[in-house]
Amino acid sequence: MSPLLLSLRPGTTLDDEHGLLTAHHRWGRTTLGPHTPPLAEALRTLAAGPTTVDDMTDRLRATARRVGLPTEPQLALLHGSLERLAHSVRRHATTGSRRVATAEPLAPEAAPRPGPVPATPLTLDRAAHLRPVDDRLALESPRSRFRLRLEDPGVATLLALLARPASRAELADRCGDLTEDALAAVVSLLYSTGFAHPAHGADHPADEAGHPADNGGCGQAGLPPGWAFHELLAYDGSRAGPRDRPYGPVFPLRATEPPAPPVAPPPAGRVIPLGRPDLGRVCREDRPFTDVLESRTSRRAYGEQPLTISQLAEFLYRAARVRTLLGARPEDDRPYAITSRPYPSAGSAYELELYAAVHRCHGLDRGLYHYDPLGHALTALPGAPEAVDRLLREAAAATGGAPPPDVHLTLVSRVKRLSWKYAAHAYALTLKNTGVLLQTLCLVATAMGLSGCPVGGGDSETPVRAFDLAPHTEIPVGAFLLGSAPTPR
């Protein structure tokens, strides 16, 4: 028996629709051709698989002879059907009756790379990685539209050898747990699904189907120019389409836990109520929006006189307060309470919290604080003065040694507030929300004549320790530096 077997992906069905053989699958339907007995018999063998192309061909020939149809047109229909069903056909590498690896398509455009495996040394795709999936190790890559399940431990040895270019003879010498046929079948699967490339082409990225694209090389050991592995993986995971994971507003946690509250309960501590500005006066006296937008710039210099608590209060009120609080409306497919604030947020989740490290602010002690957007108040947090110093040192490092700001704001995401509703891309959404809030903070600071600067990096552990955040539940995602403006000369 051939060491390469085929089977239809579970859930794929074959039906007679008005005389046409039609496959219904994860991505819709595909019309394969006239519903003739030979074609239907061959493809139902595939549905009952795993089977070989030779076995399907034999069954088609036998059925064609029995019903009196010419064989060659039916064979052409079969091979055309297999090509059109590439996105729904699993490929199995076997030894005897035992599977050693299975390649499963993950996207409607998934198609195996044509042609035989080249005789040159091969190497693993530089974006490939192993992870557990359904109690099996699985090989995945953002640049392949397949997942390769490892069903024999010997395949892991093969993958380890392919971390650098390896010839077929070297693989055979060092993969003693796999028979010669099984090794050839696994290598064929790796090559055809875009996980292994000729060593001389290892620096070439892959196209949408996972095939190497000859664009003159991309450096970074096969990654596209300018991409780090983790960024490529994060991008791939945050978009719909190329994976079989749930995606979008599918409420993945709805059946197991309640949504996080729309506003985080303020922590215990001394509460400092903040004054509320007269928005009518602000509207009358503010600079025109276009003037604010055109003059916005990152300002890392601060005035001799510190920021005042009334300025900080107005800044937070205008940029980040809760304007309204609305209850859940299950009848409108909104089974969670929401808020309205001055900036937009995905699903009105408003998962971002503001924590402040105050360096100098007239009317407010130096220290750590949490902003309550509903009550418009600050809560003093415990923490040694060194915690403020560490945050300020990070700000200086991220801004080229600029002087410390009056107030260092840390944006913290209660990410489960998003992941309760959105599957696969909650983290990507919280980063987008972070950008929206940072821009709002920039514009409000500019309108108020203050110095403001968003910070694009930093050590996430520093704010986690400073504000005693719950790891992976309250995650730092950004920072903003605020202070009084220097006197114009």
Side-chain angles (χ1 to χ4, degrees), residues 266-270 272 355-357 366-370 379-388 390-391 462-469:
R270 179 172 58 91
I272 300 101
Y355 286 82
R366 192 176 193 271
L368 303 175
Y369 299 85
H370 169 266
T379 301
L381 303 175
E386 290 78 14
V388 176
R390 284 192 291 268
L391 288 165
T462 301
V464 166
R465 290 192 295 266
F467 300 114
D468 193 26
L469 304 176

Side-chain angles (χ1 to χ4, degrees), residues 153-163 171 174-175 178 183 186-187 190:
V155 180
T157 301
L158 171 62
L159 297 179
L161 294 173
L162 288 173
L171 295 177
R174 301 182 63 183
C175 290
L178 297 176
L183 176 63
V186 175
V187 169
L190 290 170

Side-chain angles (χ1 to χ4, degrees), residues 349-385:
Y350 290 102
E351 79 288 357
L352 298 177
E353 298 288 315
L354 288 176
Y355 286 82
V358 173
H359 172 53
R360 58 170 202 166
C361 182
H362 184 70
L364 196 60
D365 293 337
R366 192 176 193 271
L368 303 175
Y369 299 85
H370 169 266
Y371 176 59
D372 172 13
L374 184 61
H376 188 52
L378 293 173
T379 301
L381 303 175

Side-chain angles (χ1 to χ4, degrees), residues 405-429:
D406 294 344
V407 175
H408 178 292
L409 293 172
T410 299
L411 283 62
V412 173
S413 171
R414 297 184 294 137
V415 69
K416 193 175 285 189
R417 173 78 179 156
L418 281 172
S419 61
W420 190 84
K421 176 179 181 179
Y422 296 102
H425 64 311
Y427 181 63
L429 286 176

Side-chain angles (χ1 to χ4, degrees), residues 171-192:
L171 295 177
D173 287 343
R174 301 182 63 183
C175 290
D177 292 341
L178 297 176
T179 66
E180 183 179 345
D181 285 347
L183 176 63
V186 175
V187 169
S188 177
L189 279 187
L190 290 170
Y191 177 75
S192 65

